[in-house]
Amino acid sequence: MVQKTYVTYNEVHKLCQASAEKILNEFQPNLMIAIGGGGYVPARILRSFLKRPGNPNIPIQAIGLSLYEQLPVASNTGPTTPAIEKDVEQMGTRVTRTQWLDLSSLSMSNLVGKNVLIVDEVDDTRTTLEYAVKELTKDVDEAAAKMGMPAGETKFGVFVLHNKNKEKKGKIPGNMVSEGRYMAAEEVGDVWICYPWEATDIDEHDRLAAEQKK
Ligand code: 5GP
C-alpha cells in the first residue's frame, strides 16, 4: 500500500516562510503563476513573506492543469496491440489545460522580461511542471516578439512545497536548476502526501498528522 503523509496548514505555512528568503535572494520574483488547485494556497501564503515594506504585493495569476490518467479500456484486442501500448505509454503523461493565462497583449506584457515564479504543491513525476514551463515560455516568447523584444528575456523559476526524490518523467531546463531557480521547500520520498485543503474533515486530518508525528 502507498504510504500516506499528512501535512497540516501550519506546516504548509512554515514551509513557505522557511523558503521565502531563498526565493528573494536567488530569484526575486515579480509575479507568481499558481498551478491550480494545489499551488493556490502556497502562492498566497508565500506572497505575505515575499512582501517588502514600501513595495506592492507580488501579483498572482492562476493556471489550471490536470494530468490525463485514464487507464486503457479492456477490449477484444490483444494486450500488445499498438493502440493499447500507446495508451499505456501516455498514461499520466498528457496534461490538460483547465485554465490558462489571458493571452491578450496587454496581459502578456506584464510577464515579458520579468522573473516569473511558477508555484505548485508537489513535484511528483515532473510532467506538470515540464508542461507549465514549456508552454508558458512559448507564450511569453510569442508575446515578446509582438512587442519587438527578443525571446528569452523572461526568467522562469519554480517553487514547490515538496519534491519527491524519484526518477522524473518530465524535464525542466538544466539552467533552471543550476541557477537556483528550482526551489523545493522539502525533499521527500515517493510517498502520497495528503494536503489539508483536500481534507473533508480537517480535525481528523490534523489528528492523523499528529498521530504520525508520535
Ligand atoms: P506530476 O505532474 O509532478 O506527476 O504531478 C503533479 C500533480 O499531481 C500535482 O500538482 C498534484 O496535483 C498531483 N500529485 C502528485 N503527487 C501527489 C501527492 O503525493 N499528493 C497529492 N495530494 N497530489 C499529488
Side-chain angles (χ1 to χ4, degrees):
M1 216 175 68
V2 183
Q3 196 196 328
K4 281 186 183 174
T5 304
Y6 293 85
V7 177
T8 65
Y9 278 116
N10 195 293
E11 286 163 340
V12 170
H13 200 93
K14 287 181 178 162
L15 285 175
C16 292
Q17 181 170 20
S19 306
E21 202 172 299
K22 181 177 161 70
I23 293 171
L24 281 170
N25 289 341
E26 309 242 339
F27 192 59
Q28 292 137 16
N30 305 106
L31 185 125
M32 283 188 269
I33 295 183
I35 304 180
Y40 296 160
V41 176
R44 174 59 190 90
I45 296 171
L46 201 54
R47 192 177 80 166
S48 297
F49 293 110
L50 297 180
K51 171 96 170 71
R52 285 292 159 259
N55 287 346
N57 266 315
I58 295 173
I60 303 174
Q61 296 203 21
I63 57 173
L65 296 176
S66 99
L67 271 186
Y68 179 83
E69 287 184 86
Q70 202 180 355
L71 283 163
V73 182
S75 71
N76 291 334
T77 47
T80 54
T81 56
I84 287 184
E85 274 176 9
K86 197 161 166 262
D87 270 353
V88 172
E89 202 176 281
Q90 292 190 347
M91 226 176 58
T93 63
R94 260 188 262 163
V95 178
T96 315
R97 288 184 191 192
T98 54
Q99 187 185 341
W100 200 247
L101 299 176
D102 171 3
L103 294 176
S104 69
S105 308
L106 186 66
S107 278
M108 290 305 286
S109 65
N110 294 326
L111 273 74
V112 174
K114 303 281 170 55
N115 286 356
V116 179
L117 187 66
I118 301 167
V119 180
D120 207 354
E121 87 280 46
V122 55
D123 176 358
D124 182 12
T125 63
R126 203 163 275 175
T127 310
T128 307
L129 285 172
E130 173 181 309
Y131 181 92
V133 172
K134 265 193 192 156
E135 292 295 300
L136 289 169
T137 303
K138 203 172 76 192
D139 286 346
V140 163
D141 284 347
E142 269 172 29
K146 281 186 197 153
M147 291 162 68
M149 287 174 67
E153 295 282 294
T154 304
K155 274 214 164 82
F156 286 100
V158 165
F159 171 72
V160 288
L161 295 172
H162 298 104
N163 174 39
K164 293 189 195 176
N165 274 315
K166 62 192 279 189
E167 203 175 312
K168 303 291 184 182
K169 280 192 213 159
K171 301 270 173 284
I172 51 172
N175 62 348
M176 183 178 264
V177 179
S178 63
E179 291 171 14
R181 290 185 278 123
Y182 174 88
M183 293 159 280
E186 201 163 54
E187 301 285 327
V188 294
D190 195 6
V191 295
W192 186 259
I193 306 161
C194 302
Y195 290 98
W197 47 82
E198 296 161 346
T200 46
D201 182 344
I202 193 66
D203 294 327
E204 174 66 0
H205 178 96
D206 285 353
R207 192 188 65 72
L208 289 166
E211 204 167 85
Q212 240 172 17
K213 273 175 202 72
K214 278 182 196 160

